[in-house]
Structure formats: C-alpha cells, structure tokens
Amino acid sequence: MNIGNRIAGLREERKWTQEQTAAKLGISRAALSHYEKNRREPDTETLAKFADLYQVSIDYLVGRTTNTQAALSEDIRSFVDHLELSDEELLEKYNLSVDGRKLTAEETKRFIAFVRAERMMN
C-alpha cells in the first residue's frame, strides 16, 4: 500500500471531503488530489501535517507499519518535547541501572532514544 492510498483511506474513514481535508492541512484541494492519486508525494512537512491530522505515525503513512495507533497523543508529545533529559535531578530520581551499574546521563539518553525508536517501528 502506498502513501496516496493511506491518506485517501484515512480521509474517507472520517467522511471528510477533499475540500475539508485540504483546508485543515492548509494545502489546495488539487494538491491533496495529486497526493491521493499518487501523482505526487508530500514533502516531509506536509507528511507530518497528515500524520498529525489523522493521529497516525509517519511510518504508518509510508507503509513501514500497519499500526495506526503508533502516534503519540498531543499531551504525551508535549510532555516528551519539554522533558529535559540532561537534568541531573530527573536522572537521579529514576536511578536507572543495567547489570548493577548506574547508567550515565549519556547512556540514559541513548536508552530513551532507543525505546522511542523501537515504539515508533511497532
């Protein structure tokens, strides 16, 4: 399945017209039609707008996963975006360790990045 089929299917599930959807995305109806018919592929910014509008991951839109629920909710995304992983107080509070050894701040950041990437792929 390709991007056009996915975005057209998501729009149809919501019973939105192309005009309604294009207005929500801030693009023309003609551009949306080209995307849905696979005549053009959306750029990264537009792809992100589709993902946000339909509350799915970009991976779902491009066919890397069939899980439509992989996107973070707005509340969680806001929390994650404002989370300061270098904050020593936060790292001390959770005291993460592997094999009996406490993780360094850098190891903790890499661990969290790995978990996030893995979740996005599933």
Side-chain angles (χ1 to χ4, degrees):
M1 183 171 278
N2 50 42
I3 296 171
N5 294 347
R6 292 260 167 121
I7 61 176
L10 289 164
R11 178 182 59 78
E12 290 165 359
E13 284 175 15
R14 287 157 178 78
K15 299 183 180 9
W16 293 344
T17 66
Q18 283 188 335
E19 290 81 10
Q20 290 170 317
T21 306
K24 291 174 188 287
L25 293 166
I27 62 174
S28 70
R29 191 213 50 82
L32 177 59
S33 178
H34 285 300
Y35 298 145
E36 289 186 355
K37 293 182 179 182
N38 296 300
R39 292 184 190 135
R40 290 191 348 210
E41 286 194 6
D43 60 23
T44 306
E45 182 180 330
T46 305
L47 201 56
K49 288 180 182 180
F50 276 112
D52 290 342
L53 178 65
Y54 294 132
Q55 297 182 329
V56 297
S57 70
I58 291 175
D59 279 347
Y60 174 78
L61 292 175
V62 299
R64 290 174 46 120
T65 182
T66 58
N67 182 0
T68 60
Q69 303 302 313
L72 298 176
S73 74
E74 194 59 40
D75 289 338
I76 293 172
R77 182 179 294 141
S78 177
F79 171 76
V80 168
D81 288 346
H82 293 95
L83 185 61
E84 181 55 55
L85 297 177
S86 63
D87 183 348
E88 289 299 323
E89 191 174 316
L90 177 67
L91 296 175
E92 286 296 321
K93 179 178 178 182
Y94 292 105
N95 198 22
L96 300 173
S97 64
V98 172
D99 297 330
R101 291 180 37 208
K102 184 178 171 189
L103 296 179
T104 66
E106 188 57 38
E107 288 171 328
T108 302
K109 290 177 189 177
R110 289 196 322 261
F111 174 76
I112 291 169
F114 172 80
V115 170
R116 285 181 181 149
E118 185 179 59
R119 287 180 178 174
M120 292 303 291
M121 292 175 61
N122 292 328

